[in-house]
Each structure stands twice: as structure tokens, then as C-alpha cells.
Amino acid sequence: MQLPPQLLDILRKASRVTVLTGAGISADSGIPTFRDPQHGLWSRFRPEDLANAEAFKRDPALVWGWYEWRREAVRAAEPNPAHLALATLEHRVPGFTLITQNVDGLHARAGSRKLVELHGNIMRNKCFAEGTVVEQGVDDGEPPPKCPRCGGPLRPDVVWFGEALDEQHMATADKAARECELFLVIGTSAAVMPAAHFPRVALQSGAVLVEINRDETPLSAVSHAVLRGPAALVLPHLLNTAWPGN
Ligand code: BJW
């Protein structure tokens, strides 16, 4: 893949880089994306119909089962070269922020620390009634497990449709988008708000916007450069070309 020389120059010199990732970056770790067709049992459901509080109230066992299925995939997965490349980039850039919409925890497992998990983490649970994080639920034989304090059902500690995102996470992401020189948007359809807004905030604030995605998205047309292909190939290639021999 031919990389624009100007982009390599900007990447080498930038002191503030912000990255937004989506499900596409974990696709090469074997984790299904949201808007590509689902597999097997779950192909009957759209994620939008399961990732919300109404669905959980209606059928908590069904929604819990979907998350258990996804947790199995996460447990079996390993960070791929794209996750590892971003963990390396964090050490090269003084002002680095990685904002992820992913709940799979693979960025942290790859070594990323300047990380905002905007939509939570699928391996954590919280009480549906109280909202507090619960380490160990009570198994009464009927999924989902229950809160040891109030007996309410546990749910994954993720952000569902119609729910507010953590204020501190939003403030950190917004600041990073406003202040960066280079914004990389990787493996997201840019269909879900407010995350999809951050690349545009960066653009409006004068940053160079670069998209890395297998397919076209609404951001492709407004990006300064588009690197088309799987993130697990494109990102290591980008870093190895910018800093050869490292
Ligand atoms: C590759 C690749 C490879 C494949 N290499 N690329 C403004 C306008 C319109 C609507 C709204 C709005 N503001 C809010 C809304 C409503 C809603 C929303 O955005 N709806 C849209 C669908 C229209 N937003 C919300 O409800 C949010 N809450 C909110 O705004 O609250 C307001 C509020 C304030 C105060 C009080 C109360 C409320 C919350 C959104 C939460 C999203 N949650 C989910 C589920 C998380 C939990 C879980 O995992 O189950 O987050 S939905 C799902 O979508 C998940 C993802 O993080 C998110 C984004 O998906 P992503 O990552 O982009 O994946 P895909 O599959 O869409 O795309 C993959 C991409 O990768 C594709 O482009 C492929 O081509 C590419 N790809 N392989 C590179 N190898």
C-alpha cells in the first residue's frame, strides 16, 4: 500500500494524536462487528434490538445469553497487530489519547494505557437496579445472576442505546478531539452518536483526519486521507513505514 508522504511526515512530527476505534479493529481477533451480518443463533437479532434497557426488561435471560455468547468470543480472542501498533504509538507521541467504542478490553490487553473505554467493558457487570459495579453475582439457577445487595438482575457494564455516556469519559474524549493535530478513525461505521461526532469535532478544530477502514463510511468523504484495508495490516504498515527498523 502506497502511503502519502505528507501523512508520514505529520505522524512523525505530531505531538498530539487522538485515535477513535470501533469494532473493525477487533474483527481480525475474531470478534464479530455490529453492522456486518451476525452469525448462527444470533443472526435472527439485530444488535440494536438487544443492546437496550427495554429489551433487558422484556427478556433479561435472552439479552444476558447474547452477552455470554459475546464474552466467550472475547475470552478466546487475543489482541491483533492493530491493537499492538496503537500501544506502541502511545509511547511515540507525548499527547496521545485512544478513545474506543469497543467493550472487549483488547486495547488494554495490548498495553494501551491512555485509553477511554467510551461504551464500557463487557467483562464487568453492574446491578440493573442500583447501577453499582458487582464483582460476584448470586446464581439462583435462573440467568442473569442477581445483585448480592438488592437481589436485582445483573447486566453488563456497557452503554446501551438511549443511555448517557460517562461524563468524565466524554470530557476527556472531547478535549482530545479538540486539541489534537492528527485524528485517526479506525474500524468504525461512524453510525453511532456521540462517538461519531468526535472526528468531526477534530476536523472543525483544524486537525488532519485520517480514516483506516475496510469499507467506505460517512467520514471517508471528509477525511484528508483514507487508508483502505484491514486495520491489522494497515496500522503496522503505517508505523513501520514512519519509523523503519523499530
Ligand atoms: C474493518 C475491518 C477490519 C470491518 N479493518 N475496518 C444524534 C443523532 C441520531 C441519533 C442519536 C444522536 N444522539 C444519540 C442518538 C441515539 C443513539 C444513536 O447514535 N443511534 C444511531 C444508531 C442513530 N445513541 C445513543 O443512544 C447513545 N446515548 C446517548 O446519546 O444518550 C443521550 C442521553 C443523554 C442523557 C441522558 C440519557 C441519554 C448511546 C450509544 C451506545 C452505543 N452502544 C453500542 C452497544 C455497546 C454495548 C455492546 O457492545 O453491546 O455500542 S451499539 C454498538 O455500535 C456498540 C458500538 O460501540 C457502536 C459502534 O459500532 P462500530 O464500532 O462502529 O461497529 P460497526 O459494526 O458499526 O462498524 C464496523 C466498521 O469496521 C465498519 O465500517 C466495517 O467496514 C469496518 N471493518 N472489519 C478495518 N478488519
Side-chain angles (χ1 to χ4, degrees), residues 68-233:
E68 283 293 274
W69 171 71
R70 290 178 51 203
R71 282 170 171 154
E72 260 174 52
V74 168
R75 281 189 204 101
E78 293 294 334
N80 68 51
H83 298 107
L84 297 170
L86 290 179
T88 301
L89 188 59
E90 177 176 312
H91 295 293
R92 294 200 172 276
V93 181
F96 182 85
T97 307
L98 172 53
I99 309 162
T100 187
Q101 299 168 84
N102 298 346
V103 297
D104 55 33
L106 288 179
H107 284 303
R109 281 172 58 192
S112 287
R113 293 295 171 260
K114 294 177 179 171
L115 173 65
V116 180
E117 288 182 325
L118 211 53
H119 292 165
N121 191 303
I122 197 172
M123 303 313 275
R124 263 193 328 258
N125 288 316
K126 62 182 182 182
C127 173
F128 184 68
E130 299 177 325
T132 46
V133 171
V134 173
E135 295 296 337
Q136 186 66 53
V138 177
D139 182 359
D140 62 1
E142 218 170 282
K146 307 298 177 305
C147 173
R149 274 163 46 93
C150 76
L154 295 191
R155 56 162 284 183
D157 189 7
V158 297
V159 183
W160 282 335
F161 283 111
E163 294 183 332
L165 284 75
D166 178 87
E167 268 179 35
Q168 190 58 52
H169 287 166
M170 282 297 289
T172 306
D174 187 65
K175 187 170 189 291
R178 275 179 208 288
E179 294 183 352
C180 67
E181 298 150 68
L182 174 63
F183 193 105
L184 303 177
V185 56
I186 305 169
T188 175
S189 61
V192 173
M193 295 295 228
H197 189 51
F198 292 126
R200 293 183 188 274
V201 168
L203 254 188
Q204 282 156 12
S205 308
V208 171
L209 179 63
V210 177
E211 177 177 70
I212 298 174
N213 200 306
R214 204 192 51 191
D215 304 315
E216 193 171 344
T217 79
L219 293 173
S220 306
V222 295
S223 297
H224 293 96
V226 176
L227 307 181
R228 194 64 75 219
L233 290 181

Side-chain angles (χ1 to χ4, degrees), residues 18-75:
T18 299
V19 181
L20 173 69
T21 64
I25 198 167
S26 294
D28 288 319
S29 294
I31 302 194
T33 64
F34 287 89
R35 287 161 189 86
D36 288 337
Q38 296 278 300
H39 304 287
L41 172 65
W42 300 103
S43 60
R44 292 180 285 135
F45 301 96
R46 293 186 319 145
E48 288 81 350
D49 297 336
L50 294 165
N52 69 76
E54 288 313 310
F56 187 77
K57 278 188 216 160
R58 213 169 30 242
D59 195 341
L62 174 80
V63 174
W64 183 261
W66 184 54
Y67 280 97
E68 283 293 274
W69 171 71
R70 290 178 51 203
R71 282 170 171 154
E72 260 174 52
V74 168
R75 281 189 204 101

